[in-house]
Amino acid sequence: GIAVRRRSWGSGFGKDMMREVIEYGRDVLKLSVIELQVKSDNKAAISLYESFGFEHIGIYRRFFKIEDEYYDACLMNLYLRHQHCHRN
């Protein structure tokens, strides 16, 4: 997983890091999709991911456990290449 320490929030570090991850995934790894999970109450991170084109695909209930508390995750995908769905 990737995280930004609290003291670096709002510094633009997350945006720079996300840009690098996307470019590396697209250009070097030749990925067609990047998926992520983020705590559903982390509005700043969700907004950042949306600004890069990530789409909401669902909620995973009680995904994160932090100090005996459970939190939901927002599942998001960024589609890097056009894909065709094949139906049988």
Side-chain angles (χ1 to χ4, degrees):
I2 298 173
V4 176
R5 291 181 185 249
R6 184 179 299 265
R7 68 177 179 244
S8 297
W9 289 359
S11 69
F13 183 69
K15 184 179 247 183
D16 293 341
M17 185 171 51
M18 203 68 225
R19 187 177 297 111
E20 292 294 323
V21 166
I22 292 168
E23 288 177 7
Y24 187 80
R26 182 189 59 230
D27 301 338
V28 177
L29 299 177
K30 307 296 186 199
L31 298 177
S32 58
V33 64
I34 296 175
E35 55 188 45
L36 62 81
Q37 305 86 30
V38 59
K39 278 180 62 194
S40 61
D41 63 351
N42 189 342
K43 304 303 182 200
I46 291 169
S47 179
L48 172 68
Y49 302 140
E50 289 172 339
S51 75
F52 279 99
F54 279 84
E55 301 174 19
H56 295 260
I57 61 165
I59 296 289
Y60 192 120
R61 301 283 177 217
R62 298 171 54 91
F63 183 80
F64 296 105
K65 183 179 180 186
I66 303 170
E67 298 178 8
D68 296 326
E69 295 268 344
Y70 288 92
Y71 300 89
D72 295 345
C74 179
L75 308 176
M76 302 180 81
N77 281 357
L78 174 65
Y79 299 97
L80 302 170
R81 304 190 191 302
H82 182 70
Q83 296 184 359
H84 299 283
C85 281
H86 298 283
R87 293 190 178 161
N88 295 329

